[in-house]
């Protein structure tokens, strides 16, 4: 999973209560197609499972982490915390070049550190100033600004109001197990 930092963001979003496709997209600010690919990958690895619950308007399909998924998330959080701690220690040592190299090496996981609340944004901002860089050099714009006012819901026409049927095959918009209707 190390090559896939967004996987950790999706796992964390599910733990935090985003158990439906549209909620995961909104929480993570990751594109629909990428979330779909990530969910397929996580399901194939046994990290998430689709559960069906009874709802007021019929059955509701939700995602949940498996025990293996919960353990994977904890391991990845620990690794990210160690990476952040290393960056802080390098910053405290005053070595700009070493800090720049460390941040470049960890560029792909910095947004995950922010998303998971591992990174102290004030300290990160201070580090960027120390190196004479803008925060956008390491954090994508969509992660820095609140886009909660944007409508990211996608009505699927299903009675579960979940933004997409996670079922395995009603034939409409099937994207390999996670039906997404645009």
């Amino acid at each position: 999973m190390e090559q896939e930092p967004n996987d950790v963001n999706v796992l964390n979003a599910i733990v935090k209560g985003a158990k439906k496709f549209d909620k995961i997209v909104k929480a993570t600010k990751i594109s629909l197609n990428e979330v779909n690919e990530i969910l397929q990958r996580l399901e194939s690895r046994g990290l998430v499972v689709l559960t069906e619950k009874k709802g007021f308007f019929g059955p509701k399909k939700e995602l949940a982490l498996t025990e293996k998924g919960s353990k994977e998330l904890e391991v990845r959080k620990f690794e990210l915390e160690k990476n952040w701690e290393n960056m802080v220690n390098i910053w405290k040592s005053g070595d700009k070049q070493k800090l720049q190299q460390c941040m470049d090496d960890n560029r792909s996981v910095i947004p995950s550190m922010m998303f998971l609340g591992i990174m102290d944004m004030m300290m990160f901002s201070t580090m960027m100033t120390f190196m004479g860089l803008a925060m956008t050099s390491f954090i994508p714009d969509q992660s820095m600004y609140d886009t909660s006012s944007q409508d990211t819901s996608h009505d699927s026409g299903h009675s579960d109001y979940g933004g997409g049927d996670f079922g395995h095959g009603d034939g409409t918009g099937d994207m390999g197990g996670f039906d997404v209707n645009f």
Side-chain angles (χ1 to χ4, degrees):
M1 186 182 284
E2 288 182 27
Q3 74 280 11
E4 302 296 341
N6 282 334
D7 289 14
V8 134
N9 295 353
V10 170
L11 288 172
N12 193 61
I14 294 168
V15 164
K16 298 283 185 185
K19 300 192 183 286
K20 292 184 174 254
F21 188 83
D22 63 330
K23 303 280 188 209
I24 295 168
V25 169
K26 189 172 186 174
T28 61
K29 298 177 179 119
I30 300 172
S31 73
L32 293 168
N33 288 336
E34 188 174 354
V35 169
N36 185 57
E37 291 171 14
I38 290 168
L39 289 172
Q40 289 177 25
R41 187 170 44 249
L42 294 175
E43 183 182 44
S44 71
R45 292 185 59 209
L47 302 178
V48 297
V49 64
L50 181 68
T51 60
E52 191 168 312
K53 297 180 177 182
K54 292 182 182 181
F56 186 69
F57 295 105
K60 291 180 6 179
K61 296 175 182 173
E62 296 181 340
L63 287 163
L65 263 62
T66 62
E67 186 175 329
K68 181 179 176 183
S70 294
K71 287 178 182 176
E72 179 73 18
L73 181 59
E74 290 305 312
V75 166
R76 295 290 288 144
K77 279 183 176 180
F78 180 76
E79 291 171 359
L80 291 171
E81 288 167 356
K82 288 294 182 191
N83 284 347
W84 175 245
E85 193 176 297
N86 185 41
M87 285 183 213
V88 170
N89 289 333
I90 294 170
W91 171 71
K92 287 179 179 178
S93 76
D95 189 340
K96 287 182 186 182
Q97 286 183 328
K98 193 172 180 182
L99 180 59
Q100 174 92 35
Q101 183 61 46
C102 182
M103 287 195 172
D104 284 339
D105 292 346
N106 289 291
R107 181 178 296 272
S108 67
V109 297
I110 287 176
S112 293
M113 288 179 189
M114 187 184 83
F115 183 77
L116 296 171
I118 292 168
M119 178 185 289
D120 178 332
M121 290 306 293
M122 288 297 280
M123 185 171 287
F124 183 71
S125 176
T126 303
M127 289 176 182
M128 295 289 96
T129 303
F130 173 70
M131 293 186 304
L133 299 172
M135 285 178 47
T136 55
S137 301
F138 292 93
I139 299 176
D141 287 341
Q142 73 268 18
S143 296
M144 289 184 55
Y145 303 107
D146 181 21
T147 58
S148 60
S149 62
Q150 293 178 354
D151 182 17
T152 57
S153 64
H154 302 279
D155 185 12
S156 66
H158 297 286
S159 61
D160 67 356
Y161 299 101
D165 181 4
F166 293 113
H168 292 278
D170 66 0
T172 58
D174 187 8
M175 294 180 72
F178 295 100
D179 293 344
V180 179
N181 298 344
F182 298 97

